[in-house]
């Protein structure tokens, strides 16, 4: 892609998110979300492949439907209350608005677009879709968390954790696995949204760091299928080891970064007398744990036949190595400084 065009699209992504983050008016928030949607579509279709065009079309239709629902519900709210402020919204439009934002995030049962779209685009665009594109809708949900319907968040959160686990079990494509992983993590965030929004924000920050590190690792070793990642151990042992640990961090195993959000959310739910819900989401997370462990097994304990020695050439992208090293470090060792981060939030 032309560097000038790429710069314009990336700047548009940044501007769209900034407009939504700084807006106090539903119309401005909607404008920011639309700029975000329109800016990523050319990035999705930078490789002119039918699968990429299909992914961009699915993404556009889903996001357009969610934006229309968001605009409609904010219009109904303005008609009822006479205000467009994000803070002042009545309960009837709030349910429709929450569903619109959750569709934009890709929460189950509004998740069907997410794995298909992620599978059809490149890893770099998938990174943007899985991290940056979630910031604006998640911020709007956090701003309206005191008005959101508790039953809706619990049902959609629990469904997302279950779907994220069940969907990822049968996959061999790494991008689809990352899509279902994203759905599962968002489920954890939404479950605790009404009880403690700060904890949702904390979980979201950790999710962005861990997902970004996983995508950067996959981009560095140029792997999109399970068979390709299994062949990476004999070629790049150091990077493969960090990829293995990131998978375990995404699974939420101690003493890695991903353990902190799951522990704190479980403790918060128990504190709010929702012990049964805490037990259910932890049991549902065992499904996701299975496919994370299966991936770590494939990465570390299997070798392809006739694999050459580690001195042979390998398709590693040296451009992403420095940032991969930084993000991987963050994705693995943030657990000890969790109390410090919580003070700031």
């Amino acid at each position: 892609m032309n560097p000038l065009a790429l710069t314009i699209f990336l700047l548009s992504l940044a501007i769209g998110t900034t407009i939504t983050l700084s807006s106090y008016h539903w119309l401005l928030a909607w404008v920011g979300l639309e700029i975000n949607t329109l800016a990523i579509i050319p990035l999705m279709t930078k490789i002119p492949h039918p699968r990429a065009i299909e992914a961009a079309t699915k993404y556009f239709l889903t996001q357009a439907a969610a934006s229309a629902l968001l605009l409609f519900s904010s219009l109904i709210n303005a008609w009822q209350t006479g205000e467009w402020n994000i803070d002042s919204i009545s309960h009837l439009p709030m349910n429709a608005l929450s569903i619109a934002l959750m569709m934009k995030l890709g929460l189950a049962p509004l998740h069907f677009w997410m794995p298909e779209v992620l599978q059809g685009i490149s890893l770099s665009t998938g990174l943007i879709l899985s991290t940056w594109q979630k910031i604006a809708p998640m911020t709007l949900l956090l701003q309206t968390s005191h008005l959101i319907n508790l039953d809706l968040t619990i049902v959609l959160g629990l469904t997302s954790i279950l779907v994220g686990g069940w969907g990822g079990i049968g996959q061999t494509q790494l991008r689809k696995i990352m899509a279902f992983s994203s759905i599962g993590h968002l489920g954890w965030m939404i479950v605790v949204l009404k009880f403690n929004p700060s904890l949702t924000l904390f979980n979201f920050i950790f999710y962005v760091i861990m997902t970004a590190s996983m995508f950067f690792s996959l981009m560095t070793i140029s792997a999109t299928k399970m068979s390709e990642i299994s062949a990476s151990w004999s070629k790049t042992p150091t990077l493969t080891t960090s990829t293995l640990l990131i998978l375990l961090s995404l699974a939420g195993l101690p003493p890695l970064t991903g353990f902190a959000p799951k522990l704190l959310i479980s403790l918060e739910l128990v504190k709010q007398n929702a012990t049964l819900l805490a037990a259910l989401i932890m049991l549902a997370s065992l499904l996701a744990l299975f496919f994370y462990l299966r991936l770590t097994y494939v990465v570390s304990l299997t070798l392809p036949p006739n694999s050459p020695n580690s001195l042979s050439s390998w398709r590693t992208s040296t451009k992403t190595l420095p940032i991969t090293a930084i993000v991987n470090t963050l994705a693995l060792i943030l657990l000890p400084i969790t109390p410090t981060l919580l003070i700031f939030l």
Side-chain angles (χ1 to χ4, degrees), residues 123 174 178 213-223 229 243:
L123 285 168
L174 298 176
M178 289 307 297
S213 65
M214 190 64 205
F215 269 101
F216 276 121
S217 297
L218 294 177
M219 285 159 62
T220 307
I221 59 177
S222 305
I229 204 171
T243 307

Side-chain angles (χ1 to χ4, degrees), residues 51 72 93 133 147 156 289 305 307 313 342:
R51 193 68 194 266
F72 175 71
Q133 292 295 87
L147 299 164
L156 263 70
L289 177 63
S307 59
S313 62
L342 284 173

Side-chain angles (χ1 to χ4, degrees), residues 123-197:
L123 285 168
S124 55
T125 316
L127 167 67
I128 297 169
L129 181 64
S130 300
T131 55
W132 187 263
Q133 292 295 87
K134 309 280 187 198
I135 294 173
M138 182 58 76
T139 307
L140 290 174
L141 274 179
L142 286 166
Q143 282 180 281
T144 56
S145 60
H146 59 290
L147 299 164
I148 205 164
N149 187 343
L150 179 61
D151 295 334
L152 182 70
T153 58
I154 288 173
V155 169
L156 263 70
L158 189 54
T159 310
S160 297
I161 296 167
L162 282 166
V163 167
W166 276 120
I169 282 177
Q171 298 297 333
T172 56
Q173 298 288 336
L174 298 176
R175 283 169 292 187
K176 277 195 176 180
I177 287 173
M178 289 307 297
F180 284 111
S181 167
S182 172
I183 293 164
H185 278 90
L186 287 167
W188 275 86
M189 294 175 219
I190 296 302
V191 160
V192 82
L193 177 65
K194 181 78 172 178
F195 298 114
N196 192 339

Side-chain angles (χ1 to χ4, degrees), residues 53 66 68 81 90 105 117 123 126-127 142 158 164 166 191 198 258 300 309:
I53 307 298
T81 63
S90 56
L105 285 169
V117 168
L123 285 168
L127 167 67
L142 286 166
L158 189 54
W166 276 120
V191 160
S198 299
S300 60
N309 59 39

